[in-house]
Amino acid sequence: MDGEERFREIIAADEKVEPGDWMPEGYRQTLIRQIAQHAHSEVIGMQPEGNWITRAPTLKRKAILMAKVQDEAGHGLYLYSAAETLGVSRDELVRLLHEGRQKYSSIFNYPTLTWADIGAIGWLVDGAAITNQVALTRTSYGPYSRAMVRICKEESFHQRQGYEIMMVLARGSEEQRAMAQDALDRFWWPSLMMFGPHDSESTHSDQSMEWKIKPVSNDDLRQQFVDATVPQAEYLGLTIPDPDLRWNAERGHYDFGEIDWDEFWRVVKGHGPMNRERMAHKIEAWERGAWVREAAVAHAAKRTAARSA
Amino acid sequence: MDTITTSRPLATYLIRHGDDNLVLAQRLAEYISWAPELEEDLAIANIALDHLGVAHHLLAYAASVEGDGRDADALAFLRSEREFTNLLLVERPNDDFAVIMVRQFLFDAYQVPLWEALAGSADTTLAGIAAKAVKEARYHLRHSRNWVVTLGDGTEESHRRTQHAFDELWRFTGEMFVGDALDTDMAAAGIGVDPASLEAPWRRTVLEAIADATLSEPEDTTVRVGGRSGFHTEALGHMLGEMQWLQRAYPGLEW
Amino acid sequence: MSYSVPKIAGESDTIVGRTEDHLWARWEVFVRPRGGVTHVYSESVHAPDAETALLNARDTYLRRVEGVSLWVIPSGAISRWDEHQALPESRSEEGSARRLWEAFIRHRRGAQFLHAGSIVAADAVDAIVRARDAFLTKTDGVAIWVAPSEAIVAADPDEAEMLFEPFADKGYRQATYYDIPEEVGYM
Ligand SMILES: [Fe+2]
Ligand SMILES: [Fe+2]
């Protein structure tokens, strides 16, 4: 049996494609693009939340937030590791990000303005991410799927800590309640945008679905997220900023309003509130670290030379 | 405990060491997402979380010893700059990766023998905290020492930066071994340790690494003290301003 | 977190590059968890040398998992075999110079590599053949990695306390730490 036949058979049987297998070049490129984008998002995602570690209001919240931001660094690392099995280096992917030739999730181009944003991000952004990532554990590429399993295990506390922050604020002072509502107002629509364009608009989806890289469609995942989240907002006594949101008994789902796609495209194309700051931070950190990375290599070479001398 | 007539000295003693760990954790927290590689971001977060955990334990215990209604958060977020009693070394700013690692190394080399000694404290709660902290400190030392040697004996630039970091931080190291009346009392009561006794093991660790790193021992003989009595460098006020802002802006709320 | 950023102008289309081109080498990580019977593959880290690789692996992969043993292996020291590659039927001649190898096996697609055991072999191919004969009953969907035992960097058992214990009291990393009312649904 030739490689292509075997590949089709593996996909058809819902088995995992593994690094040594023959795969269509398009499959490889799609995976590299998607995994890298996912990895970049985890790493850039450290910034908006990292923005509040030094200002976290209690020792406990500080530890939780630091552990969470650290987890996101770990998630980036696992994903780059998976991408490398496709024959590309992490350095190369980082370079493509820095040159603006690869993207990260637009959600991280919104600023974290108050402490409540940390609650809203955990609850909504991690909530949306988890919805997506749970689906992706079934992706057809073995290393990506395993990275997703590892990540989903760690994510379990991210959403809960965010929701807990929201619960405390929602039953707190007038100012705290207002802070919580404001955070929900600002993060609700960007969270829905995380699932991407409508299935009808999404150029990648068909091929990705056929290869089982992306097992569930954007719109289905978005609906799943809305259905799970509405009762959570109700429990908090907060109002989701969507006048068209209502339960549709016939469909057994919530109906919700249309995303502002102009805003969506604006942010994707680099004109969101924080695009420039996020990239500038990332690139500056990388450049500041250059002498350290080089020194480590030089030191290792000296040690090797000393041993063999 | 008999020789300590009130609970204050013990609380003060615990707060000192709590402050060391809290302030260093806060400095490391500032650095997250700025590390030279992803792996190092993870490592620094681990170290910061360890210090934060130790600070939390010590401050919570101090608060319970005080018994006047303050908790660990009140101690961390509602004391002023003049009431913080951390060593000056740990409040020094994150100038570059060399400063961060050398600062960490100089402090780790002090904390390992400190926790080893305090693990035998007559105060069993403190002994318990120390016994846990010493395992963490040993790891921190292994990590920071590895970087000090790597950077010292790396490239010309890394060598220069690392030597500069030692030279800049050296005047803040003497303070670790200068005791005061409280240290003497706590050591006499078998609760604490005489800081002077930590200097020899510290020097051994530090000089050995300096040699492995092809660096030289700084010649600076200045000993800058003041942290334990709340006389800080100007860097601390800014750090606390940021750290305490939310609690100060919205007093008395739950978060 | 994003899988759904649409492609826009200027974005790179095809990527050329090699895994080995990272400035810091790639090291493969294996962890034996508490209660586990063997070392399980745990993805990779980048590091300039063995000591840093070991520390990086600890800081990356033991943040929650309670490990009792940790190995890192330079990625380049591993020889890889899977079902697509032909293997010689028989082992190398007895008597040739031989050394110790560690064998890792992925028993089916989708599964993680597990350390299967050590074998004495003449070279990488011989090690793979011997590992197949010693540890496998089928070859479908199976992959084998072998590395010379001396290439494995292992955490010293005496250092287990400092390497593995500090994570035990970080309960806030677990979902169960947070009290979320049931009526808001699974989270
Ligand atoms: Fe994540
Ligand atoms: Fe997360």
Side-chain angles (χ1 to χ4, degrees):
Chain A
M1 187 180 338
D2 76 355
E4 187 163 358
E5 250 175 87
R6 181 76 178 117
F7 175 81
R8 271 200 235 107
E9 186 184 272
I10 292 166
I11 297 285
D14 275 328
E15 291 208 52
K16 301 298 179 205
V17 176
E18 294 290 352
D21 293 332
W22 181 91
M23 58 185 84
E25 187 55 18
Y27 178 84
R28 192 178 83 93
Q29 291 294 342
T30 305
L31 273 171
I32 291 177
R33 176 179 175 277
Q34 182 172 330
I35 299 173
Q37 190 165 283
H38 196 157
H40 300 329
S41 303
E42 300 281 356
V43 173
I44 297 285
M46 295 168 73
Q47 290 182 38
E49 290 185 283
N51 184 38
W52 278 89
I53 297 175
T54 57
R55 290 179 290 170
T58 67
L59 295 173
K60 181 180 115 172
R61 294 279 173 225
K62 192 187 290 291
I64 292 167
L65 183 57
M66 193 144 45
K68 180 185 187 292
V69 172
Q70 183 197 41
D71 276 353
E72 306 304 1
H75 298 173
L77 201 153
Y78 308 157
L79 286 159
Y80 286 124
S81 176
E84 285 185 327
T85 63
L86 294 157
V88 60
S89 77
R90 186 167 95 197
D91 274 351
E92 164 94 356
L93 298 176
V94 168
R95 189 174 61 75
L96 289 169
L97 172 68
H98 291 180
E99 289 173 357
R101 295 169 62 206
Q102 284 190 337
K103 296 281 159 204
Y104 57 90
S105 175
S106 282
I107 190 73
F108 303 116
N109 290 319
Y110 292 86
T112 49
L113 302 177
T114 74
W115 172 250
D117 291 6
I118 299 307
I121 287 182
W123 171 34
L124 300 173
V125 175
D126 285 82
I130 292 165
T131 307
N132 232 326
Q133 290 172 163
V134 166
L136 279 170
T137 58
R138 291 187 280 120
T139 188
S140 58
Y141 188 55
Y144 192 24
S145 157
R146 288 189 287 274
M148 281 299 115
V149 170
R150 189 182 293 279
I151 286 171
C152 284
K153 274 189 205 153
E154 301 193 354
E155 289 285 0
S156 61
F157 100 76
H158 294 186
Q159 192 183 15
R160 291 169 72 95
Q161 64 84 32
Y163 194 73
E164 192 186 75
I165 291 174
M166 295 304 271
M167 287 193 334
V168 172
L169 296 176
R171 61 163 187 255
S173 73
E174 224 18 77
E175 276 167 314
Q176 285 176 312
R177 285 187 60 79
M179 216 184 264
Q181 181 63 53
D182 172 55
L184 172 56
D185 289 347
R186 282 181 290 110
F187 277 97
W188 175 255
W189 289 107
S191 300
L192 295 194
M193 293 178 198
M194 285 174 71
F195 296 96
H198 283 309
D199 298 338
S200 53
E201 310 277 314
S202 183
T203 45
H204 296 286
S205 279
D206 288 355
Q207 184 67 79
S208 274
M209 301 273 290
E210 193 184 307
W211 278 331
K212 296 180 184 167
I213 291 176
K214 190 178 194 317
V216 186
S217 80
N218 293 355
D219 285 328
D220 288 352
L221 289 167
R222 187 158 28 229
Q223 182 71 59
Q224 216 179 306
F225 173 71
V226 171
D227 290 347
T229 311
V230 175
Q232 294 163 358
E234 280 168 4
Y235 180 86
L236 294 172
L238 299 177
T239 310
I240 289 177
D242 178 359
D244 298 328
L245 183 77
R246 61 184 53 84
W247 178 250
N248 181 331
E250 222 165 281
R251 290 203 307 130
H253 293 292
Y254 284 93
D255 290 337
F256 54 97
E258 196 54 60
I259 286 170
D260 178 351
W261 294 107
D262 288 341
E263 174 180 335
F264 174 85
W265 286 107
R266 243 190 342 267
V267 184
V268 167
K269 288 179 179 162
H271 309 297
M274 297 295 284
N275 296 58
R276 291 202 190 185
E277 287 87 343
R278 298 294 182 236
M279 284 312 295
H281 176 141
K282 180 72 178 58
I283 292 168
E284 191 184 337
W286 185 249
E287 287 174 352
R288 277 197 214 170
W291 68 269
V292 177
R293 294 189 298 274
E294 283 154 18
V297 172
H299 178 73
K302 283 187 194 178
R303 267 195 206 171
T304 310
R307 253 198 310 274
S308 53
Chain B
M1 285 284 290
D2 293 344
T3 53
I4 305 294
T5 49
T6 74
S7 58
R8 280 295 161 195
L10 176 58
T12 305
Y13 190 73
L14 296 166
I15 289 170
R16 284 181 177 186
H17 295 290
D19 285 350
D20 285 351
N21 286 279
L22 175 58
V23 168
L24 184 55
Q26 178 76 5
R27 275 287 179 244
L28 294 171
E30 289 171 4
Y31 192 65
I32 287 171
S33 80
W34 288 101
E37 261 291 13
L38 216 35
E39 284 83 353
E40 194 54 26
D41 255 323
L42 284 145
I44 284 179
N46 274 337
I47 295 165
L49 283 168
D50 286 345
H51 286 304
L52 189 58
V54 172
H56 201 163
H57 285 305
L58 288 169
L59 295 179
Y61 182 39
S64 81
V65 168
E66 280 188 344
D68 49 14
R70 292 204 282 190
D71 61 6
D73 283 329
L75 287 171
F77 294 95
L78 299 175
R79 278 180 306 140
S80 73
E81 186 183 345
R82 301 279 285 121
E83 294 168 288
F84 264 74
T85 53
N86 57 281
L87 296 164
L88 300 176
L89 175 69
V90 292
E91 73 196 39
R92 300 308 299 150
N94 297 337
D95 292 339
D96 69 0
F97 187 71
V99 165
I100 291 167
M101 274 308 131
V102 171
R103 180 183 67 201
Q104 188 70 37
F105 170 67
L106 294 169
F107 185 64
D108 294 340
Y110 155 80
Q111 278 217 317
V112 169
L114 172 76
W115 295 133
E116 279 170 355
L118 292 180
S121 171
D123 184 297
T124 51
T125 306
L126 176 56
I129 296 169
K132 188 182 92 58
V134 73
K135 294 174 193 168
E136 298 174 348
R138 283 189 189 126
Y139 181 77
H140 301 168
L141 179 61
R142 178 162 170 186
H143 174 265
S144 60
R145 189 192 193 282
N146 182 48
W147 272 115
V148 163
V149 172
T150 297
L151 298 178
D153 189 20
T155 59
E156 206 182 303
E157 177 176 10
S158 70
H159 180 88
R160 178 174 54 71
R161 285 177 182 264
T162 311
Q163 185 65 56
H164 180 74
F166 270 101
D167 293 345
E168 270 306 298
L169 294 171
W170 201 246
R171 70 186 184 283
F172 300 106
T173 56
E175 186 184 29
M176 298 190 281
F177 314 109
V178 178
D180 61 6
L182 176 62
D183 283 310
T184 312
D185 289 353
M186 297 306 287
I191 295 171
V193 57
D194 174 8
S197 70
L198 306 173
E199 187 164 10
W202 177 84
R203 267 189 77 77
R204 248 197 320 279
T205 308
V206 170
L207 294 186
E208 205 183 86
I210 282 179
D212 285 357
T214 68
L215 296 164
S216 21
E217 184 185 349
E219 283 159 18
D220 194 351
T221 54
T222 316
V223 177
R224 176 89 160 74
V225 295
R228 297 296 190 216
S229 57
F231 185 81
H232 290 276
T233 66
E234 289 176 347
L236 184 70
H238 295 278
M239 175 199 273
L240 296 184
E242 185 172 341
M243 185 174 93
Q244 299 181 335
W245 168 74
L246 207 52
Q247 284 283 2
R248 302 276 193 177
Y250 303 91
L253 299 182
E254 229 195 285
W255 298 94
Chain C
M1 278 188 208
S2 159
Y3 350 78
S4 301
V5 180
K7 196 178 254 183
I8 59 160
E11 209 183 320
S12 98
D13 253 323
T14 41
I15 292 162
V16 285
R18 301 177 317 139
T19 308
E20 314 85 74
D21 286 346
H22 200 89
L23 182 64
W24 287 5
R26 176 173 159 124
W27 298 70
E28 309 295 345
V29 179
F30 292 83
V31 173
R32 186 155 74 83
R34 181 171 301 285
V37 291
T38 192
H39 287 79
V40 183
Y41 180 55
S42 205
E43 328 301 332
S44 68
V45 291
H46 283 283
D49 55 43
E51 167 72 356
T52 312
L54 199 61
L55 301 187
N56 285 351
R58 180 263 194 195
D59 282 316
T60 302
Y61 294 104
L62 295 173
R63 306 198 315 289
R64 273 186 197 75
V65 178
E66 250 198 282
V68 291
S69 175
L70 176 66
W71 291 351
V72 292
I73 310 174
S75 201
I78 296 174
S79 302
R80 296 161 164 89
W81 174 86
D82 65 35
E83 65 180 42
H84 306 291
Q85 294 163 260
L87 266 187
E89 271 308 302
S90 58
R91 310 155 179 209
S92 68
E93 291 295 311
E94 300 293 329
S96 52
R98 298 155 90 207
R99 58 172 167 166
L100 202 58
W101 298 73
E102 301 301 324
F104 304 89
I105 295 180
R106 195 187 60 221
H107 289 275
R108 54 177 177 80
R109 294 177 172 281
Q112 215 51 293
F113 277 87
L114 303 175
H115 180 233
S118 323
I119 37 204
V120 176
D123 54 34
V125 175
D126 186 37
I128 288 168
V129 171
R130 287 169 186 274
R132 178 197 62 189
D133 293 353
F135 304 119
L136 295 188
T137 49
K138 57 156 199 153
T139 51
D140 246 24
V142 169
I144 300 174
W145 287 0
V146 295
S149 304
E150 70 208 29
I152 292 174
V153 180
D156 187 334
D158 294 346
E159 295 167 334
E161 262 195 350
M162 77 164 164
L163 286 173
F164 306 134
E165 274 185 31
F167 303 104
D169 78 329
K170 309 271 193 299
Y172 50 81
R173 284 191 182 280
Q174 312 296 339
T176 46
Y177 182 83
Y178 305 88
D179 246 339
I180 305 297
E182 258 170 51
E183 55 257 57
V184 304
Y186 180 77
M187 210 179 262

